[in-house]
Amino acid sequence: LVSGRADVYKGALAPLAQRVPADVLIPRYRLAPEFTVPEIVNDAVNAYKWLSKEKNASDIILWGDSAGGALAMLLLQELIQDKAQLPRAVILVSPVTDMTYASYEPSETDPVSNAGVLKFLQKQFQNTPHSILSMSADTLSALPPVYIAAGKSEWGYTGISQLHSMLQSAGVNATLEAAENMPHVFSLFYDWIPEGQGSVSKIVDFMKSLNK
């Protein structure tokens, strides 16, 4: 939510989309710290509502990785409050569950989750009170099937595991792919590591299973 461009994700998601097959919408939204999290969420809501007019919501699968995973959950919360139609399913790759990053600690075994990156993010989001783990059971119970992929070595794995447990307790069809010794967003590294390739294959299988 603080950097990156939508076109960067074309290369990451195109191979996955071809295997399903599926079309992909990659929205552009405002970034922190120049804009607040509620403003960023509003951009995501507007993009989703536009798409849901072009496509049936039952044909939409929502994807979010890292802080984008938190954004996906906050988007869903807004849609539930607005009584809007929800997507068919949700895919979260290493979702951030504490947007202040205050509860996170650097990982000694994950180069992505290092102290420098963590210090930067804590500074950018220090005044952001949003925690995905504070979402109510009523809100969570309304969610469609959720697939979560995460590395056990990454800084936020404890929160990710807790989120999965909360979803299951709320009656959501939630799957957690927890990979040993894998870094943050390892699923996106499918061009470099076999574990990433395996994760993408599982995600594709999950997406295909929704039509059965």
Side-chain angles (χ1 to χ4, degrees), residues 120-147:
F120 169 78
L121 292 172
Q122 287 173 337
K123 181 178 180 180
Q124 301 301 318
F125 291 101
Q126 58 185 336
N127 297 318
T128 300
H130 300 280
S131 173
I132 305 308
L133 300 178
S134 66
M135 294 177 69
S136 71
D138 285 345
T139 296
L140 294 176
S141 67
L143 295 179
V146 179
Y147 188 96

mmCIF file with all atom_site columns, all heavy atoms in Angstrom, residues 120-147:
data_model
loop_
_atom_site.group_PDB
_atom_site.id
_atom_site.type_symbol
_atom_site.label_atom_id
_atom_site.label_alt_id
_atom_site.label_comp_id
_atom_site.label_asym_id
_atom_site.label_entity_id
_atom_site.label_seq_id
_atom_site.pdbx_PDB_ins_code
_atom_site.Cartn_x
_atom_site.Cartn_y
_atom_site.Cartn_z
_atom_site.occupancy
_atom_site.B_iso_or_equiv
_atom_site.pdbx_formal_charge
_atom_site.auth_seq_id
_atom_site.auth_comp_id
_atom_site.auth_asym_id
_atom_site.auth_atom_id
_atom_site.pdbx_PDB_model_num
ATOM 1   N N   . PHE A 1 120 ? 10.605  0.545   8.263  1.00 0.00 ? 120 PHE A N   1
ATOM 2   C CA  . PHE A 1 120 ? 9.993   1.466   7.304  1.00 0.00 ? 120 PHE A CA  1
ATOM 3   C C   . PHE A 1 120 ? 8.474   1.395   7.362  1.00 0.00 ? 120 PHE A C   1
ATOM 4   O O   . PHE A 1 120 ? 7.784   2.416   7.421  1.00 0.00 ? 120 PHE A O   1
ATOM 5   C CB  . PHE A 1 120 ? 10.492  1.141   5.897  1.00 0.00 ? 120 PHE A CB  1
ATOM 6   C CG  . PHE A 1 120 ? 9.744   1.850   4.802  1.00 0.00 ? 120 PHE A CG  1
ATOM 7   C CD1 . PHE A 1 120 ? 10.001  3.184   4.515  1.00 0.00 ? 120 PHE A CD1 1
ATOM 8   C CD2 . PHE A 1 120 ? 8.768   1.185   4.060  1.00 0.00 ? 120 PHE A CD2 1
ATOM 9   C CE1 . PHE A 1 120 ? 9.305   3.846   3.517  1.00 0.00 ? 120 PHE A CE1 1
ATOM 10  C CE2 . PHE A 1 120 ? 8.074   1.841   3.058  1.00 0.00 ? 120 PHE A CE2 1
ATOM 11  C CZ  . PHE A 1 120 ? 8.352   3.174   2.781  1.00 0.00 ? 120 PHE A CZ  1
ATOM 12  N N   . LEU A 1 121 ? 7.941   0.190   7.378  1.00 0.00 ? 121 LEU A N   1
ATOM 13  C CA  . LEU A 1 121 ? 6.487   0.011   7.390  1.00 0.00 ? 121 LEU A CA  1
ATOM 14  C C   . LEU A 1 121 ? 5.869   0.478   8.703  1.00 0.00 ? 121 LEU A C   1
ATOM 15  O O   . LEU A 1 121 ? 4.787   1.073   8.705  1.00 0.00 ? 121 LEU A O   1
ATOM 16  C CB  . LEU A 1 121 ? 6.142   -1.456  7.122  1.00 0.00 ? 121 LEU A CB  1
ATOM 17  C CG  . LEU A 1 121 ? 6.465   -1.954  5.710  1.00 0.00 ? 121 LEU A CG  1
ATOM 18  C CD1 . LEU A 1 121 ? 6.278   -3.462  5.622  1.00 0.00 ? 121 LEU A CD1 1
ATOM 19  C CD2 . LEU A 1 121 ? 5.609   -1.256  4.665  1.00 0.00 ? 121 LEU A CD2 1
ATOM 20  N N   . GLN A 1 122 ? 6.541   0.214   9.793  1.00 0.00 ? 122 GLN A N   1
ATOM 21  C CA  . GLN A 1 122 ? 6.026   0.681   11.085 1.00 0.00 ? 122 GLN A CA  1
ATOM 22  C C   . GLN A 1 122 ? 5.930   2.202   11.117 1.00 0.00 ? 122 GLN A C   1
ATOM 23  O O   . GLN A 1 122 ? 4.986   2.765   11.680 1.00 0.00 ? 122 GLN A O   1
ATOM 24  C CB  . GLN A 1 122 ? 6.928   0.173   12.216 1.00 0.00 ? 122 GLN A CB  1
ATOM 25  C CG  . GLN A 1 122 ? 6.778   -1.316  12.482 1.00 0.00 ? 122 GLN A CG  1
ATOM 26  C CD  . GLN A 1 122 ? 7.783   -1.833  13.484 1.00 0.00 ? 122 GLN A CD  1
ATOM 27  O OE1 . GLN A 1 122 ? 8.848   -1.244  13.691 1.00 0.00 ? 122 GLN A OE1 1
ATOM 28  N NE2 . GLN A 1 122 ? 7.466   -2.958  14.118 1.00 0.00 ? 122 GLN A NE2 1
ATOM 29  N N   . LYS A 1 123 ? 6.880   2.879   10.493 1.00 0.00 ? 123 LYS A N   1
ATOM 30  C CA  . LYS A 1 123 ? 6.861   4.340   10.445 1.00 0.00 ? 123 LYS A CA  1
ATOM 31  C C   . LYS A 1 123 ? 5.715   4.832   9.570  1.00 0.00 ? 123 LYS A C   1
ATOM 32  O O   . LYS A 1 123 ? 5.024   5.797   9.914  1.00 0.00 ? 123 LYS A O   1
ATOM 33  C CB  . LYS A 1 123 ? 8.189   4.868   9.915  1.00 0.00 ? 123 LYS A CB  1
ATOM 34  C CG  . LYS A 1 123 ? 8.264   6.392   9.855  1.00 0.00 ? 123 LYS A CG  1
ATOM 35  C CD  . LYS A 1 123 ? 9.625   6.861   9.358  1.00 0.00 ? 123 LYS A CD  1
ATOM 36  C CE  . LYS A 1 123 ? 9.688   8.384   9.304  1.00 0.00 ? 123 LYS A CE  1
ATOM 37  N NZ  . LYS A 1 123 ? 11.016  8.846   8.813  1.00 0.00 ? 123 LYS A NZ  1
ATOM 38  N N   . GLN A 1 124 ? 5.493   4.173   8.442  1.00 0.00 ? 124 GLN A N   1
ATOM 39  C CA  . GLN A 1 124 ? 4.456   4.609   7.513  1.00 0.00 ? 124 GLN A CA  1
ATOM 40  C C   . GLN A 1 124 ? 3.051   4.406   8.074  1.00 0.00 ? 124 GLN A C   1
ATOM 41  O O   . GLN A 1 124 ? 2.146   5.189   7.811  1.00 0.00 ? 124 GLN A O   1
ATOM 42  C CB  . GLN A 1 124 ? 4.584   3.857   6.182  1.00 0.00 ? 124 GLN A CB  1
ATOM 43  C CG  . GLN A 1 124 ? 5.913   4.027   5.479  1.00 0.00 ? 124 GLN A CG  1
ATOM 44  C CD  . GLN A 1 124 ? 6.228   5.472   5.161  1.00 0.00 ? 124 GLN A CD  1
ATOM 45  O OE1 . GLN A 1 124 ? 5.373   6.231   4.724  1.00 0.00 ? 124 GLN A OE1 1
ATOM 46  N NE2 . GLN A 1 124 ? 7.472   5.871   5.395  1.00 0.00 ? 124 GLN A NE2 1
ATOM 47  N N   . PHE A 1 125 ? 2.867   3.347   8.853  1.00 0.00 ? 125 PHE A N   1
ATOM 48  C CA  . PHE A 1 125 ? 1.526   2.975   9.304  1.00 0.00 ? 125 PHE A CA  1
ATOM 49  C C   . PHE A 1 125 ? 1.337   3.096   10.817 1.00 0.00 ? 125 PHE A C   1
ATOM 50  O O   . PHE A 1 125 ? 0.408   2.516   11.368 1.00 0.00 ? 125 PHE A O   1
ATOM 51  C CB  . PHE A 1 125 ? 1.219   1.532   8.876  1.00 0.00 ? 125 PHE A CB  1
ATOM 52  C CG  . PHE A 1 125 ? 1.041   1.370   7.393  1.00 0.00 ? 125 PHE A CG  1
ATOM 53  C CD1 . PHE A 1 125 ? 2.061   0.864   6.609  1.00 0.00 ? 125 PHE A CD1 1
ATOM 54  C CD2 . PHE A 1 125 ? -0.148  1.743   6.772  1.00 0.00 ? 125 PHE A CD2 1
ATOM 55  C CE1 . PHE A 1 125 ? 1.905   0.719   5.235  1.00 0.00 ? 125 PHE A CE1 1
ATOM 56  C CE2 . PHE A 1 125 ? -0.312  1.591   5.403  1.00 0.00 ? 125 PHE A CE2 1
ATOM 57  C CZ  . PHE A 1 125 ? 0.712   1.087   4.631  1.00 0.00 ? 125 PHE A CZ  1
ATOM 58  N N   . GLN A 1 126 ? 2.185   3.870   11.473 1.00 0.00 ? 126 GLN A N   1
ATOM 59  C CA  . GLN A 1 126 ? 2.127   3.936   12.930 1.00 0.00 ? 126 GLN A CA  1
ATOM 60  C C   . GLN A 1 126 ? 0.813   4.496   13.453 1.00 0.00 ? 126 GLN A C   1
ATOM 61  O O   . GLN A 1 126 ? 0.406   4.201   14.578 1.00 0.00 ? 126 GLN A O   1
ATOM 62  C CB  . GLN A 1 126 ? 3.289   4.779   13.465 1.00 0.00 ? 126 GLN A CB  1
ATOM 63  C CG  . GLN A 1 126 ? 3.331   6.201   12.933 1.00 0.00 ? 126 GLN A CG  1
ATOM 64  C CD  . GLN A 1 126 ? 4.569   6.945   13.407 1.00 0.00 ? 126 GLN A CD  1
ATOM 65  O OE1 . GLN A 1 126 ? 5.151   6.604   14.429 1.00 0.00 ? 126 GLN A OE1 1
ATOM 66  N NE2 . GLN A 1 126 ? 4.984   7.958   12.669 1.00 0.00 ? 126 GLN A NE2 1
ATOM 67  N N   . ASN A 1 127 ? 0.114   5.289   12.648 1.00 0.00 ? 127 ASN A N   1
ATOM 68  C CA  . ASN A 1 127 ? -1.157  5.881   13.086 1.00 0.00 ? 127 ASN A CA  1
ATOM 69  C C   . ASN A 1 127 ? -2.364  5.185   12.467 1.00 0.00 ? 127 ASN A C   1
ATOM 70  O O   . ASN A 1 127 ? -3.462  5.738   12.433 1.00 0.00 ? 127 ASN A O   1
ATOM 71  C CB  . ASN A 1 127 ? -1.187  7.374   12.760 1.00 0.00 ? 127 ASN A CB  1
ATOM 72  C CG  . ASN A 1 127 ? -0.123  8.149   13.506 1.00 0.00 ? 127 ASN A CG  1
ATOM 73  O OD1 . ASN A 1 127 ? 0.105   7.913   14.693 1.00 0.00 ? 127 ASN A OD1 1
ATOM 74  N ND2 . ASN A 1 127 ? 0.555   9.061   12.818 1.00 0.00 ? 127 ASN A ND2 1
ATOM 75  N N   . THR A 1 128 ? -2.145  3.982   11.972 1.00 0.00 ? 128 THR A N   1
ATOM 76  C CA  . THR A 1 128 ? -3.225  3.225   11.348 1.00 0.00 ? 128 THR A CA  1
ATOM 77  C C   . THR A 1 128 ? -3.778  2.202   12.334 1.00 0.00 ? 128 THR A C   1
ATOM 78  O O   . THR A 1 128 ? -3.074  1.257   12.708 1.00 0.00 ? 128 THR A O   1
ATOM 79  C CB  . THR A 1 128 ? -2.720  2.490   10.090 1.00 0.00 ? 128 THR A CB  1
ATOM 80  O OG1 . THR A 1 128 ? -2.226  3.453   9.161  1.00 0.00 ? 128 THR A OG1 1
ATOM 81  C CG2 . THR A 1 128 ? -3.847  1.713   9.440  1.00 0.00 ? 128 THR A CG2 1
ATOM 82  N N   . PRO A 1 129 ? -5.014  2.370   12.783 1.00 0.00 ? 129 PRO A N   1
ATOM 83  C CA  . PRO A 1 129 ? -5.541  1.485   13.828 1.00 0.00 ? 129 PRO A CA  1
ATOM 84  C C   . PRO A 1 129 ? -6.130  0.176   13.316 1.00 0.00 ? 129 PRO A C   1
ATOM 85  O O   . PRO A 1 129 ? -6.662  -0.595  14.094 1.00 0.00 ? 129 PRO A O   1
ATOM 86  C CB  . PRO A 1 129 ? -6.641  2.353   14.455 1.00 0.00 ? 129 PRO A CB  1
ATOM 87  C CG  . PRO A 1 129 ? -7.164  3.157   13.309 1.00 0.00 ? 129 PRO A CG  1
ATOM 88  C CD  . PRO A 1 129 ? -5.955  3.447   12.447 1.00 0.00 ? 129 PRO A CD  1
ATOM 89  N N   . HIS A 1 130 ? -6.042  -0.066  12.032 1.00 0.00 ? 130 HIS A N   1
ATOM 90  C CA  . HIS A 1 130 ? -6.754  -1.197  11.459 1.00 0.00 ? 130 HIS A CA  1
ATOM 91  C C   . HIS A 1 130 ? -6.069  -2.532  11.760 1.00 0.00 ? 130 HIS A C   1
ATOM 92  O O   . HIS A 1 130 ? -4.888  -2.713  11.496 1.00 0.00 ? 130 HIS A O   1
ATOM 93  C CB  . HIS A 1 130 ? -6.891  -1.017  9.945  1.00 0.00 ? 130 HIS A CB  1
ATOM 94  C CG  . HIS A 1 130 ? -7.632  0.224   9.561  1.00 0.00 ? 130 HIS A CG  1
ATOM 95  N ND1 . HIS A 1 130 ? -9.002  0.301   9.588  1.00 0.00 ? 130 HIS A ND1 1
ATOM 96  C CD2 . HIS A 1 130 ? -7.198  1.435   9.169  1.00 0.00 ? 130 HIS A CD2 1
ATOM 97  C CE1 . HIS A 1 130 ? -9.377  1.518   9.207  1.00 0.00 ? 130 HIS A CE1 1
ATOM 98  N NE2 . HIS A 1 130 ? -8.301  2.219   8.962  1.00 0.00 ? 130 HIS A NE2 1
ATOM 99  N N   . SER A 1 131 ? -6.828  -3.449  12.319 1.00 0.00 ? 131 SER A N   1
ATOM 100 C CA  . SER A 1 131 ? -6.354  -4.806  12.553 1.00 0.00 ? 131 SER A CA  1
ATOM 101 C C   . SER A 1 131 ? -7.383  -5.774  11.985 1.00 0.00 ? 131 SER A C   1
ATOM 102 O O   . SER A 1 131 ? -8.555  -5.723  12.355 1.00 0.00 ? 131 SER A O   1
ATOM 103 C CB  . SER A 1 131 ? -6.150  -5.078  14.042 1.00 0.00 ? 131 SER A CB  1
ATOM 104 O OG  . SER A 1 131 ? -5.855  -6.441  14.254 1.00 0.00 ? 131 SER A OG  1
ATOM 105 N N   . ILE A 1 132 ? -6.942  -6.632  11.106 1.00 0.00 ? 132 ILE A N   1
ATOM 106 C CA  . ILE A 1 132 ? -7.848  -7.603  10.506 1.00 0.00 ? 132 ILE A CA  1
ATOM 107 C C   . ILE A 1 132 ? -8.363  -8.566  11.569 1.00 0.00 ? 132 ILE A C   1
ATOM 108 O O   . ILE A 1 132 ? -9.478  -9.079  11.489 1.00 0.00 ? 132 ILE A O   1
ATOM 109 C CB  . ILE A 1 132 ? -7.126  -8.367  9.384  1.00 0.00 ? 132 ILE A CB  1
ATOM 110 C CG1 . ILE A 1 132 ? -6.546  -7.388  8.362  1.00 0.00 ? 132 ILE A CG1 1
ATOM 111 C CG2 . ILE A 1 132 ? -8.075  -9.332  8.693  1.00 0.00 ? 132 ILE A CG2 1
ATOM 112 C CD1 . ILE A 1 132 ? -7.518  -6.370  7.820  1.00 0.00 ? 132 ILE A CD1 1
ATOM 113 N N   . LEU A 1 133 ? -7.563  -8.787  12.600 1.00 0.00 ? 133 LEU A N   1
ATOM 114 C CA  . LEU A 1 133 ? -7.938  -9.737  13.637 1.00 0.00 ? 133 LEU A CA  1
ATOM 115 C C   . LEU A 1 133 ? -9.016  -9.206  14.570 1.00 0.00 ? 133 LEU A C   1
ATOM 116 O O   . LEU A 1 133 ? -9.507  -9.940  15.437 1.00 0.00 ? 133 LEU A O   1
ATOM 117 C CB  . LEU A 1 133 ? -6.699  -10.142 14.446 1.00 0.00 ? 133 LEU A CB  1
ATOM 118 C CG  . LEU A 1 133 ? -5.582  -10.807 13.633 1.00 0.00 ? 133 LEU A CG  1
ATOM 119 C CD1 . LEU A 1 133 ? -4.397  -11.127 14.525 1.00 0.00 ? 133 LEU A CD1 1
ATOM 120 C CD2 . LEU A 1 133 ? -6.085  -12.066 12.935 1.00 0.00 ? 133 LEU A CD2 1
ATOM 121 N N   . SER A 1 134 ? -9.391  -7.941  14.403 1.00 0.00 ? 134 SER A N   1
ATOM 122 C CA  . SER A 1 134 ? -10.464 -7.373  15.230 1.00 0.00 ? 134 SER A CA  1
ATOM 123 C C   . SER A 1 134 ? -11.820 -7.436  14.530 1.00 0.00 ? 134 SER A C   1
ATOM 124 O O   . SER A 1 134 ? -12.827 -6.983  15.081 1.00 0.00 ? 134 SER A O   1
ATOM 125 C CB  . SER A 1 134 ? -10.145 -5.917  15.591 1.00 0.00 ? 134 SER A CB  1
ATOM 126 O OG  . SER A 1 134 ? -10.142 -5.092  14.439 1.00 0.00 ? 134 SER A OG  1
ATOM 127 N N   . MET A 1 135 ? -11.860 -7.993  13.330 1.00 0.00 ? 135 MET A N   1
ATOM 128 C CA  . MET A 1 135 ? -13.130 -8.114  12.617 1.00 0.00 ? 135 MET A CA  1
ATOM 129 C C   . MET A 1 135 ? -14.064 -9.039  13.384 1.00 0.00 ? 135 MET A C   1
ATOM 130 O O   . MET A 1 135 ? -13.634 -10.052 13.948 1.00 0.00 ? 135 MET A O   1
ATOM 131 C CB  . MET A 1 135 ? -12.894 -8.637  11.196 1.00 0.00 ? 135 MET A CB  1
ATOM 132 C CG  . MET A 1 135 ? -12.126 -7.653  10.322 1.00 0.00 ? 135 MET A CG  1
ATOM 133 S SD  . MET A 1 135 ? -11.752 -8.279  8.662  1.00 0.00 ? 135 MET A SD  1
ATOM 134 C CE  . MET A 1 135 ? -13.393 -8.303  7.944  1.00 0.00 ? 135 MET A CE  1
ATOM 135 N N   . SER A 1 136 ? -15.330 -8.689  13.418 1.00 0.00 ? 136 SER A N   1
ATOM 136 C CA  . SER A 1 136 ? -16.295 -9.442  14.212 1.00 0.00 ? 136 SER A CA  1
ATOM 137 C C   . SER A 1 136 ? -16.603 -10.796 13.590 1.00 0.00 ? 136 SER A C   1
ATOM 138 O O   . SER A 1 136 ? -16.462 -11.003 12.377 1.00 0.00 ? 136 SER A O   1
ATOM 139 C CB  . SER A 1 136 ? -17.593 -8.646  14.353 1.00 0.00 ? 136 SER A CB  1
ATOM 140 O OG  . SER A 1 136 ? -18.283 -8.594  13.115 1.00 0.00 ? 136 SER A OG  1
ATOM 141 N N   . ALA A 1 137 ? -17.059 -11.707 14.436 1.00 0.00 ? 137 ALA A N   1
ATOM 142 C CA  . ALA A 1 137 ? -17.438 -13.041 13.967 1.00 0.00 ? 137 ALA A CA  1
ATOM 143 C C   . ALA A 1 137 ? -18.605 -12.953 12.992 1.00 0.00 ? 137 ALA A C   1
ATOM 144 O O   . ALA A 1 137 ? -18.687 -13.733 12.029 1.00 0.00 ? 137 ALA A O   1
ATOM 145 C CB  . ALA A 1 137 ? -17.794 -13.935 15.147 1.00 0.00 ? 137 ALA A CB  1
ATOM 146 N N   . ASP A 1 138 ? -19.516 -12.003 13.213 1.00 0.00 ? 138 ASP A N   1
ATOM 147 C CA  . ASP A 1 138 ? -20.661 -11.837 12.306 1.00 0.00 ? 138 ASP A CA  1
ATOM 148 C C   . ASP A 1 138 ? -20.188 -11.448 10.911 1.00 0.00 ? 138 ASP A C   1
ATOM 149 O O   . ASP A 1 138 ? -20.708 -11.941 9.905  1.00 0.00 ? 138 ASP A O   1
ATOM 150 C CB  . ASP A 1 138 ? -21.621 -10.768 12.847 1.00 0.00 ? 138 ASP A CB  1
ATOM 151 C CG  . ASP A 1 138 ? -22.442 -11.262 14.021 1.00 0.00 ? 138 ASP A CG  1
ATOM 152 O OD1 . ASP A 1 138 ? -22.490 -12.494 14.233 1.00 0.00 ? 138 ASP A OD1 1
ATOM 153 O OD2 . ASP A 1 138 ? -23.020 -10.425 14.729 1.00 0.00 ? 138 ASP A OD2 1
ATOM 154 N N   . THR A 1 139 ? -19.192 -10.546 10.864 1.00 0.00 ? 139 THR A N   1
ATOM 155 C CA  . THR A 1 139 ? -18.651 -10.139 9.564  1.00 0.00 ? 139 THR A CA  1
ATOM 156 C C   . THR A 1 139 ? -17.944 -11.299 8.895  1.00 0.00 ? 139 THR A C   1
ATOM 157 O O   . THR A 1 139 ? -18.156 -11.583 7.710  1.00 0.00 ? 139 THR A O   1
ATOM 158 C CB  . THR A 1 139 ? -17.668 -8.965  9.733  1.00 0.00 ? 139 THR A CB  1
ATOM 159 O OG1 . THR A 1 139 ? -18.371 -7.823  10.240 1.00 0.00 ? 139 THR A OG1 1
ATOM 160 C CG2 . THR A 1 139 ? -17.020 -8.590  8.397  1.00 0.00 ? 139 THR A CG2 1
ATOM 161 N N   . LEU A 1 140 ? -17.108 -11.986 9.645  1.00 0.00 ? 140 LEU A N   1
ATOM 162 C CA  . LEU A 1 140 ? -16.350 -13.102 9.082  1.00 0.00 ? 140 LEU A CA  1
ATOM 163 C C   . LEU A 1 140 ? -17.278 -14.205 8.585  1.00 0.00 ? 140 LEU A C   1
ATOM 164 O O   . LEU A 1 140 ? -17.017 -14.832 7.552  1.00 0.00 ? 140 LEU A O   1
ATOM 165 C CB  . LEU A 1 140 ? -15.387 -13.663 10.126 1.00 0.00 ? 140 LEU A CB  1
ATOM 166 C CG  . LEU A 1 140 ? -14.245 -12.743 10.567 1.00 0.00 ? 140 LEU A CG  1
ATOM 167 C CD1 . LEU A 1 140 ? -13.439 -13.408 11.675 1.00 0.00 ? 140 LEU A CD1 1
ATOM 168 C CD2 . LEU A 1 140 ? -13.339 -12.383 9.401  1.00 0.00 ? 140 LEU A CD2 1
ATOM 169 N N   . SER A 1 141 ? -18.363 -14.450 9.295  1.00 0.00 ? 141 SER A N   1
ATOM 170 C CA  . SER A 1 141 ? -19.267 -15.547 8.940  1.00 0.00 ? 141 SER A CA  1
ATOM 171 C C   . SER A 1 141 ? -19.949 -15.329 7.594  1.00 0.00 ? 141 SER A C   1
ATOM 172 O O   . SER A 1 141 ? -20.455 -16.280 6.990  1.00 0.00 ? 141 SER A O   1
ATOM 173 C CB  . SER A 1 141 ? -20.322 -15.740 10.026 1.00 0.00 ? 141 SER A CB  1
ATOM 174 O OG  . SER A 1 141 ? -21.196 -14.621 10.093 1.00 0.00 ? 141 SER A OG  1
ATOM 175 N N   . ALA A 1 142 ? -19.964 -14.091 7.127  1.00 0.00 ? 142 ALA A N   1
ATOM 176 C CA  . ALA A 1 142 ? -20.611 -13.778 5.849  1.00 0.00 ? 142 ALA A CA  1
ATOM 177 C C   . ALA A 1 142 ? -19.699 -14.002 4.655  1.00 0.00 ? 142 ALA A C   1
ATOM 178 O O   . ALA A 1 142 ? -20.140 -13.898 3.502  1.00 0.00 ? 142 ALA A O   1
ATOM 179 C CB  . ALA A 1 142 ? -21.096 -12.325 5.858  1.00 0.00 ? 142 ALA A CB  1
ATOM 180 N N   . LEU A 1 143 ? -18.420 -14.307 4.916  1.00 0.00 ? 143 LEU A N   1
ATOM 181 C CA  . LEU A 1 143 ? -17.445 -14.389 3.836  1.00 0.00 ? 143 LEU A CA  1
ATOM 182 C C   . LEU A 1 143 ? -17.597 -15.657 3.001  1.00 0.00 ? 143 LEU A C   1
ATOM 183 O O   . LEU A 1 143 ? -17.994 -16.713 3.501  1.00 0.00 ? 143 LEU A O   1
ATOM 184 C CB  . LEU A 1 143 ? -16.027 -14.337 4.409  1.00 0.00 ? 143 LEU A CB  1
ATOM 185 C CG  . LEU A 1 143 ? -15.618 -13.032 5.087  1.00 0.00 ? 143 LEU A CG  1
ATOM 186 C CD1 . LEU A 1 143 ? -14.200 -13.141 5.621  1.00 0.00 ? 143 LEU A CD1 1
ATOM 187 C CD2 . LEU A 1 143 ? -15.733 -11.857 4.118  1.00 0.00 ? 143 LEU A CD2 1
ATOM 188 N N   . PRO A 1 144 ? -17.241 -15.569 1.726  1.00 0.00 ? 144 PRO A N   1
ATOM 189 C CA  . PRO A 1 144 ? -17.216 -16.751 0.855  1.00 0.00 ? 144 PRO A CA  1
ATOM 190 C C   . PRO A 1 144 ? -15.978 -17.586 1.178  1.00 0.00 ? 144 PRO A C   1
ATOM 191 O O   . PRO A 1 144 ? -15.193 -17.227 2.070  1.00 0.00 ? 144 PRO A O   1
ATOM 192 C CB  . PRO A 1 144 ? -17.119 -16.124 -0.545 1.00 0.00 ? 144 PRO A CB  1
ATOM 193 C CG  . PRO A 1 144 ? -16.353 -14.851 -0.317 1.00 0.00 ? 144 PRO A CG  1
ATOM 194 C CD  . PRO A 1 144 ? -16.836 -14.337 1.013  1.00 0.00 ? 144 PRO A CD  1
ATOM 195 N N   . PRO A 1 145 ? -15.750 -18.694 0.475  1.00 0.00 ? 145 PRO A N   1
ATOM 196 C CA  . PRO A 1 145 ? -14.553 -19.502 0.718  1.00 0.00 ? 145 PRO A CA  1
ATOM 197 C C   . PRO A 1 145 ? -13.268 -18.675 0.606  1.00 0.00 ? 145 PRO A C   1
ATOM 198 O O   . PRO A 1 145 ? -13.143 -17.806 -0.261 1.00 0.00 ? 145 PRO A O   1
ATOM 199 C CB  . PRO A 1 145 ? -14.618 -20.565 -0.383 1.00 0.00 ? 145 PRO A CB  1
ATOM 200 C CG  . PRO A 1 145 ? -16.081 -20.705 -0.665 1.00 0.00 ? 145 PRO A CG  1
ATOM 201 C CD  . PRO A 1 145 ? -16.637 -19.320 -0.517 1.00 0.00 ? 145 PRO A CD  1
ATOM 202 N N   . VAL A 1 146 ? -12.336 -18.959 1.510  1.00 0.00 ? 146 VAL A N   1
ATOM 203 C CA  . VAL A 1 146 ? -11.073 -18.215 1.570  1.00 0.00 ? 146 VAL A CA  1
ATOM 204 C C   . VAL A 1 146 ? -9.901  -19.194 1.495  1.00 0.00 ? 146 VAL A C   1
ATOM 205 O O   . VAL A 1 146 ? -9.858  -20.173 2.248  1.00 0.00 ? 146 VAL A O   1
ATOM 206 C CB  . VAL A 1 146 ? -10.968 -17.396 2.870  1.00 0.00 ? 146 VAL A CB  1
ATOM 207 C CG1 . VAL A 1 146 ? -9.624  -16.649 2.925  1.00 0.00 ? 146 VAL A CG1 1
ATOM 208 C CG2 . VAL A 1 146 ? -12.122 -16.413 2.995  1.00 0.00 ? 146 VAL A CG2 1
ATOM 209 N N   . TYR A 1 147 ? -8.964  -18.922 0.592  1.00 0.00 ? 147 TYR A N   1
ATOM 210 C CA  . TYR A 1 147 ? -7.735  -19.708 0.496  1.00 0.00 ? 147 TYR A CA  1
ATOM 211 C C   . TYR A 1 147 ? -6.583  -18.814 0.914  1.00 0.00 ? 147 TYR A C   1
ATOM 212 O O   . TYR A 1 147 ? -6.401  -17.728 0.372  1.00 0.00 ? 147 TYR A O   1
ATOM 213 C CB  . TYR A 1 147 ? -7.507  -20.206 -0.933 1.00 0.00 ? 147 TYR A CB  1
ATOM 214 C CG  . TYR A 1 147 ? -6.347  -21.178 -1.059 1.00 0.00 ? 147 TYR A CG  1
ATOM 215 C CD1 . TYR A 1 147 ? -6.567  -22.556 -1.042 1.00 0.00 ? 147 TYR A CD1 1
ATOM 216 C CD2 . TYR A 1 147 ? -5.039  -20.716 -1.167 1.00 0.00 ? 147 TYR A CD2 1
ATOM 217 C CE1 . TYR A 1 147 ? -5.510  -23.446 -1.140 1.00 0.00 ? 147 TYR A CE1 1
ATOM 218 C CE2 . TYR A 1 147 ? -3.972  -21.603 -1.264 1.00 0.00 ? 147 TYR A CE2 1
ATOM 219 C CZ  . TYR A 1 147 ? -4.216  -22.963 -1.252 1.00 0.00 ? 147 TYR A CZ  1
ATOM 220 O OH  . TYR A 1 147 ? -3.162  -23.851 -1.334 1.00 0.00 ? 147 TYR A OH  1
#
